[in-house]
């Protein structure tokens, strides 16, 4: 990547750090005449906005992993509630945990995952309704 248009103090600082890092990076000098057109960069220019957008975007694999974690949390909460109900009355903490997890499941873009999450959410809402809790 080629860096152009740096202020003189910043360019001095970067050049001073260059021997520590290695000779792989160079900074382009300012154009001598103020009206001269800037030289074309060697590759596609990369803006900070584009880098931030790429960093903020979530890959499909990460999105599926996040949905799978949410589904797993919901299923584990339902299993703990089921175990408590077999032993007697469920603990209030279990019901509160279930009520807190219900709205966080979200809506994935994958239709198969969406159906799975809807079924988990429905089961959670049914269990909460059995105990007169609205989530």
């Amino acid at each position: 990547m080629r860096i152009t248009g740096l202020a003189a103090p910043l360019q001095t600082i970067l050049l001073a750090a260059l021997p520590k890092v290695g000779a792989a990076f160079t900074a382009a000098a300012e154009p001598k005449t103020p009206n001269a057109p800037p030289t074309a960069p060697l590759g596609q220019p990369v803006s900070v906005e584009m880098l931030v957008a790429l960093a903020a975007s979530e890959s499909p694999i990460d999105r599926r992993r996040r949905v799978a974690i949410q589904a797993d949390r919901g299923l584990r909460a339902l299993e703990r509630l089921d175990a408590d109900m077999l032993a007697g009355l469920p603990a209030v903490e279990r019901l509160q945990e279930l009520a807190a997890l219900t709205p966080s499941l979200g809506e994935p873009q994958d239709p198969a995952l969406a159906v799975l999450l809807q079924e988990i959410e429905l089961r959670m809402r049914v269990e909460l309704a059995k105990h007169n809790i609205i989530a």
Side-chain angles (χ1 to χ4, degrees):
M1 177 169 55
R2 186 174 200 174
I3 302 172
T4 60
L6 291 175
L10 185 57
Q11 187 175 3
T12 306
I13 292 170
L14 289 174
L15 288 175
L18 191 60
K20 297 176 191 171
V21 176
F25 299 99
T26 60
E30 292 288 327
K32 298 295 180 192
T33 59
N35 295 334
T39 59
L42 294 176
Q44 178 86 9
V46 178
S47 68
V48 174
E49 293 85 9
M50 184 176 10
L51 291 175
V52 170
L54 284 173
S57 67
E58 192 176 35
S59 71
I61 294 171
D62 291 338
R63 193 175 309 119
R64 287 180 64 93
R65 184 175 296 130
R66 181 181 45 81
V67 169
I69 289 171
Q70 290 173 341
D72 185 55
R73 284 183 190 149
L75 288 175
R76 286 179 191 258
L78 284 170
E79 288 173 354
R80 287 189 294 270
L81 180 67
D82 187 42
D84 283 354
M85 288 179 65
L86 289 175
L89 289 176
V92 175
E93 294 84 24
R94 296 283 183 239
L95 295 171
Q96 289 173 344
E97 176 188 12
L98 209 60
L101 283 175
T102 301
S104 69
L105 290 180
E107 182 70 27
Q109 294 176 350
D110 186 7
L113 287 176
V115 169
L116 178 67
L117 279 182
Q118 286 173 353
E119 290 177 5
I120 293 171
E121 183 179 358
L122 177 64
R123 188 68 211 163
M124 292 168 80
R125 289 188 187 276
V126 166
E127 291 298 327
L128 290 172
K130 285 180 183 178
H131 299 282
N132 295 325
I133 298 175
I134 299 172

